Amino acid sequence: MSIQQRLVRLNPRQQEAVRYIDGPCLVLAGAGSGKTSVITTKIAYLVQECGMSARRIAAVTFTNKAAREMKERVGQMLKGKQGHGLTVSTFHTLGLNIIRGELKALGYKPGFSLFDPEDAKALLRDLMNKDAQVDADQINRVQGQISSWKNDLVLPGQALSHAANDDEQYAARVYEAYVRHLKAYNAVDFDDLILLPVVLLRDDPEALARWRRKIHYMLVDEYQDTNVSQYRLVQMLMGERATFTVVGDDDQSIYAWRGARPENLVTLGEDFPRLRVIKLEQNYRSTGTILRAANTLISNNPHVYDKTLWSEMGQGEAIRVVVNRHEEAEAERVASEILTRRIKERAEWRDFAVLYRGNFQARLLELKLQHYQIPYKLSGGTSFFSRGEIKDAMAYLRLLINPADDNAFLRIVNIPRREIGPTTLEKLANYATEREIALFAACRELGLAEQLPTRAVERLSRFIHFIEGVRDRMDRGDALAAIREMMREMDYEAWLYQNASAPTIAERRMANVWTLIDQLEKSMNREPEDTASTDTETDSVESAISRLVLRDILEQQAEEDDSDRVQLLTMHASKGLEFPHVYLMGLEEELLPHRNAIEVGTVEEERRLAYVGITRARRTLTLTLARQRKAYGELMDCTPSRFLDELPDADLEWEGRADKEDPEKKQARGKDAIAGLRSLLG
DNA sequence: GGTGTGTCATTTTTT
DNA sequence: ATGACACACC
């Protein structure tokens, strides 16, 4: 299909958004208004119609999944070499590539480590424990504080001078030490992936010129989710030329609590007076009734840009509101309804989604779904990366590319057993701290022999020789082969068997490790065409390992799980998805809006969350609530959510509100229906 | 592999 | 209060 043919398929607003390329462009894209089509078509338009080289274009998203999907769709439009060198990545991957290309200017050495939040926490724990034993809660608070400082582009010096109280003062001092230590470890954390490029581009005109030459056009997805640093990054890269398109929806801003600044939508108009604002209000997803409900609800929030969604999908069914006696009845109701509705509507399991505010709400529902043998997929859960064996393997990988990574060193120096215990490590750490060198480097120092018994020194040096040997083989030949060989050589598998409660568990864990290494290999062999880096042969292991830490690959296999199941999701996790039939559970005060949100006065964001939930539905929407619910072990009476009052009454069909019917009889009738259906199905 | 004990969190989570 | 999970032990 030609680009002209694609354009014709778009509505006038979408076309305008694609065609306007001479200056800053803000696309206010309502839910289901085809924003991804606009972004992908615009990329194709820039290349095919405007003759811009794909390697001058960068499209940025927030999640790997979104980036992957966008890449996929653009790939279908741009054939052959046309798309070569195009950047479609997350903000973090873009930042990583900038850092990788500017190592010298930033004062980092090749093979730097990327600390995930857990590594960061370990470092903080270390730093904070120096003064006194601190509890996990306090560490978490400081970690959160540091993260928001970085998101807000506040450097340690500023944090220190602006600290409003003792707690902030303390956090700022830890922040300063934390940054210093990261640098010493030749490591960066996730927030640095945005912060460091911004600081670099701000302070180094040459670097700025380099990157402005490199990137001529930027497209940003989910712009309402950008934080201060991310906005600054876009702003710095684009400069006066301001050739960019950002797409967002202030009504779907649900991440303010983690630093997102929806007001960046407004700031954009102030920073770029020439900004062209285009609204996409035609919705291609939902029925008129559902959209009317969404519009009415969200009109209770203040708006800078007003937006009213409409569609040509017909009015559809009324929105049902089901009041249940208690939470168990609610779960029962949702499960049994899915069962019957699937038959009635000839739907598949995958056509249903159940959305809720907090993960704990899924528990009861799971039981009911299991009871009816309804297949379901629960979002969230323990990730691949939090498994111990994966962390071990990752620590080995990181130590191989960055011997200064003390976190990695400490994790695996005695895994498998090398008889290097806490006493040895403590002395080693003291020695290293005094001299301000890494633990790995300290093992080699002769002076260490004075602090430690010969046997301990021997064990340590055997360990570093082992690692260096592997590193050597990696540099000389096939890096992946060297890594696999390392795993076998140290017999990590035997260690797993020793430590697992059952052989089958050890087996599975070892398989996970091999999977990780396979993924690493895949990632290395992948053409580096989709990155803005100046990838060379030598840094490909390094960058592949960083991508692994950023979870860039791997999830793929989880995503491939396209089996036919009912989806259980938090409303947050549902953003960007759509389902024919949606159930929204727990529409009660203190749950949605959440009690904490009411307390701190962020009900507007809760309303947007409900809005996101509602707009996931294509055909039918069912809202449920319970009159009573157990919370913290106590039975509580619940009030229906204020959001229910904010929906158009005429479009709602209430069930169980009056509750005149005998509860016993009603329940029996429900059970009969299920029993009847089951017998019908044999 | 199964059982018992302790710890943890009950607001959302990506990178 | 409750349950899920990790870890230790049988």
Side-chain angles (χ1 to χ4, degrees):
Chain A
M1 206 192 312
S2 77
I3 187 71
Q4 288 303 333
Q5 283 171 308
R6 284 186 200 281
L7 269 171
V8 174
R9 291 181 169 212
L10 299 180
N11 69 40
R13 300 289 96 201
Q14 291 174 320
Q15 286 190 33
E16 184 189 355
V18 170
R19 286 204 160 103
Y20 178 66
I21 59 163
D22 296 326
C25 180
L26 164 61
V27 181
L28 287 169
S33 64
K35 68 177 171 125
T36 310
S37 292
V38 167
I39 296 179
T40 50
T41 310
K42 189 154 189 171
I43 294 172
Y45 182 80
L46 284 165
V47 173
Q48 296 180 336
E49 213 58 20
C50 313
M52 187 178 284
S53 163
R55 56 181 69 252
R56 296 282 172 272
I57 301 172
V60 194
T61 64
F62 276 86
T63 65
N64 291 311
K65 190 175 159 218
R68 209 153 47 225
E69 283 166 6
M70 199 169 287
K71 238 179 271 179
E72 169 84 14
R73 287 179 63 169
V74 175
Q76 286 167 3
M77 298 188 193
L78 299 178
K79 294 289 176 232
K81 275 191 197 145
Q82 278 188 323
H84 207 72
L86 176 72
T87 297
V88 180
S89 73
T90 62
F91 264 105
H92 289 85
T93 303
L94 176 67
L96 179 73
N97 287 327
I98 294 177
I99 292 172
R100 184 150 273 132
E102 301 288 343
L103 276 186
K104 264 194 217 101
L106 284 163
Y108 279 84
K109 294 179 292 254
F112 60 91
S113 290
L114 178 52
F115 273 26
D116 72 16
E118 278 197 56
D119 298 315
K121 189 172 311 224
L123 173 53
L124 286 171
R125 193 178 297 124
D126 228 40
L127 294 173
M128 291 168 70
N129 270 334
K130 282 205 170 109
D131 317 323
Q133 280 290 319
V134 285
D135 57 294
D137 215 46
Q138 203 178 346
I139 296 170
N140 286 335
R141 273 202 306 276
V142 171
Q143 187 171 26
Q145 176 69 261
I146 291 175
S147 179
S148 38
W149 273 325
K150 288 189 174 191
N151 289 162
D152 287 346
L153 216 55
V154 176
L155 300 178
Q158 296 159 288
L160 208 50
S161 55
H162 292 330
N165 52 49
D166 285 357
D167 277 356
E168 274 186 32
Q169 189 85 28
Y170 174 69
R173 281 202 304 274
V174 178
Y175 180 21
E176 192 275 328
Y178 171 74
V179 168
R180 224 166 0 98
H181 280 258
L182 273 183
K183 191 78 186 268
Y185 295 151
N186 197 30
V188 302
D189 66 17
F190 281 179
D191 298 324
D192 284 337
L193 295 179
I194 314 297
L195 179 71
L196 294 181
V198 172
V199 171
L200 174 82
L201 297 177
R202 191 189 62 193
D203 299 342
D204 184 339
E206 282 178 28
L208 182 66
R210 268 197 294 280
W211 284 93
R212 284 190 179 168
R213 230 176 292 132
K214 163 92 184 89
I215 301 176
H216 284 185
Y217 204 98
M218 271 187 100
L219 302 101
V220 182
D221 192 18
E222 304 281 15
Y223 180 72
Q224 76 284 349
D225 288 341
T226 51
N227 60 37
V228 172
S229 297
Q230 285 159 336
Y231 175 42
R232 287 289 293 164
L233 182 61
V234 176
Q235 211 186 13
M236 298 286 331
L237 284 170
M238 291 298 95
E240 285 299 302
R241 202 169 357 129
T243 43
F244 61 77
T245 298
V246 305
V247 182
D249 181 2
D250 44 345
D251 290 333
Q252 291 187 72
S253 164
I254 52 175
Y255 287 112
W257 52 272
R258 66 175 197 211
R261 293 297 170 89
E263 60 269 30
N264 281 345
L265 286 163
V266 181
T267 317
L268 203 63
E270 292 158 4
D271 291 343
F272 300 94
R274 298 175 6 214
L275 183 72
R276 170 93 64 107
V277 181
I278 298 165
K279 282 188 219 174
L280 303 183
E281 295 174 298
Q282 179 172 7
N283 171 292
Y284 296 93
R285 178 186 296 157
S286 314
T287 65
T289 305
I290 289 166
L291 292 181
R292 196 156 48 239
N295 285 330
T296 318
L297 174 73
I298 209 64
S299 69
N300 288 284
N301 272 0
H303 284 87
V304 178
Y305 306 103
D306 275 316
K307 212 168 9 52
T308 306
L309 296 178
W310 58 278
S311 87
E312 295 174 342
M313 314 282 279
Q315 287 313 300
E317 289 177 32
I319 294 163
R320 289 182 321 125
V321 184
V322 182
V323 185
N324 301 275
R325 275 189 319 291
H326 43 70
E327 54 196 334
E328 204 198 324
E330 183 190 33
E332 166 74 31
R333 184 61 198 269
V334 170
S336 58
E337 268 216 20
I338 290 174
L339 203 59
T340 51
R341 208 195 271 268
R342 187 177 75 110
I343 307 298
K344 213 168 61 193
E345 310 262 352
R346 294 203 183 87
E348 306 202 60
W349 297 123
R350 61 160 64 84
D351 294 337
F352 296 89
V354 186
L355 274 36
Y356 36 80
R357 176 70 236 255
N359 282 308
F360 69 96
Q361 291 178 66
R363 235 179 254 154
L364 262 176
L365 187 66
E366 266 191 281
L367 291 178
K368 297 298 180 187
L369 293 173
Q370 281 163 11
H371 176 247
Y372 290 121
Q373 304 195 345
I374 297 171
Y376 64 89
K377 194 185 154 202
L378 188 65
S379 84
T382 336
S383 96
F384 189 79
F385 284 92
S386 52
R387 295 164 196 268
E389 69 274 20
I390 296 305
K391 286 197 202 145
D392 289 344
M394 290 295 297
Y396 271 100
L397 295 175
R398 282 172 27 189
L399 192 63
L400 282 168
I401 59 167
N402 177 18
D405 192 334
D406 283 357
N407 259 337
F409 179 96
L410 286 171
R411 177 160 188 109
I412 44 89
V413 65
N414 202 30
I415 290 177
R417 284 208 90 84
R418 295 186 179 95
E419 295 176 287
I420 299 168
T423 326
T424 305
L425 288 176
E426 200 188 333
K427 286 189 180 145
L428 177 70
N430 287 337
Y431 185 90
T433 313
E434 254 171 53
R435 267 145 259 251
E436 294 191 303
I437 54 172
L439 295 175
F440 193 91
C443 294
R444 220 194 308 266
E445 302 253 328
L446 294 172
L448 195 62
E450 290 163 26
Q451 321 275 321
L452 282 170
T454 327
R455 294 197 319 165
V457 177
E458 271 170 17
R459 286 167 186 154
L460 285 172
S461 89
R462 204 175 311 140
F463 173 65
I464 63 165
H465 283 126
F466 172 68
I467 296 293
E468 281 172 340
V470 177
R471 176 74 239 198
D472 233 40
R473 272 173 273 161
M474 282 173 69
D475 292 340
R476 250 195 276 260
D478 183 347
L480 264 304
I483 289 165
R484 291 198 173 96
E485 200 185 327
M486 168 184 79
M487 286 292 167
R488 281 189 288 266
E489 208 176 310
M490 67 187 179
D491 210 353
Y492 184 69
E493 189 164 16
W495 189 86
L496 285 179
Y497 274 91
Q498 275 165 36
N499 288 78
S501 54
T504 49
I505 292 176
E507 226 171 277
R508 202 175 325 138
R509 289 183 179 161
M510 197 60 218
N512 285 336
V513 172
W514 294 129
T515 306
L516 181 82
I517 297 172
D518 288 346
Q519 292 289 333
L520 183 68
E521 184 168 35
K522 262 194 209 158
S523 171
M524 277 176 64
N525 294 335
R526 189 171 75 176
E527 293 294 320
E529 62 175 318
D530 55 349
T531 71
S533 78
T534 46
D535 265 13
T536 62
E537 288 290 320
T538 49
D539 74 7
S540 70
V541 190
E542 277 86 350
S543 65
I545 290 172
S546 299
R547 286 205 296 270
L548 220 48
V549 181
L550 276 181
R551 292 146 208 217
D552 191 356
I553 31 188
L554 235 89
E555 310 162 85
Q556 255 159 320
Q557 50 180 20
E559 304 292 339
E560 276 166 29
D561 187 9
D562 58 350
S563 48
D564 186 21
R565 301 159 185 270
V566 175
Q567 294 247 40
L568 273 49
L569 300 159
T570 63
M571 289 178 208
H572 283 93
S574 76
K575 195 167 77 154
L577 307 175
E578 58 175 47
F579 307 89
H581 308 287
V582 168
Y583 290 82
L584 234 55
M585 293 180 81
L587 281 218
E588 297 143 36
E589 284 294 298
E590 312 236 300
L591 235 191
L592 182 70
H594 194 272
R595 145 203 288 228
N596 297 353
I598 297 171
E599 270 168 27
V600 301
T602 55
V603 173
E604 285 168 18
E605 181 149 308
E606 299 290 300
R607 188 175 285 111
R608 291 192 289 267
L609 196 52
Y611 176 82
V612 166
I614 290 171
T615 51
R616 296 313 93 196
R618 295 179 70 94
R619 289 184 44 208
T620 77
L621 176 64
T622 309
L623 313 175
T624 69
L625 62 150
R627 295 161 146 292
Q628 287 190 315
R629 186 180 292 276
K630 239 185 257 166
Y632 296 91
E634 257 188 305
L635 199 62
M636 305 284 285
D637 287 322
C638 316
T639 320
S641 168
R642 68 188 74 182
F643 299 150
L644 288 169
D645 302 329
E646 297 175 2
L647 296 175
D649 215 24
D651 287 331
L652 303 186
E653 206 168 79
W654 287 79
E655 224 177 285
R657 178 156 58 168
D659 210 14
K660 281 174 204 150
E661 218 175 354
D662 179 4
E664 296 298 325
K665 214 200 266 175
K666 213 169 138 197
Q667 192 186 18
R669 204 174 35 147
K671 287 236 165 90
D672 279 356
I674 303 302
L677 188 76
R678 289 184 78 81
S679 66
L680 201 78
L681 295 170

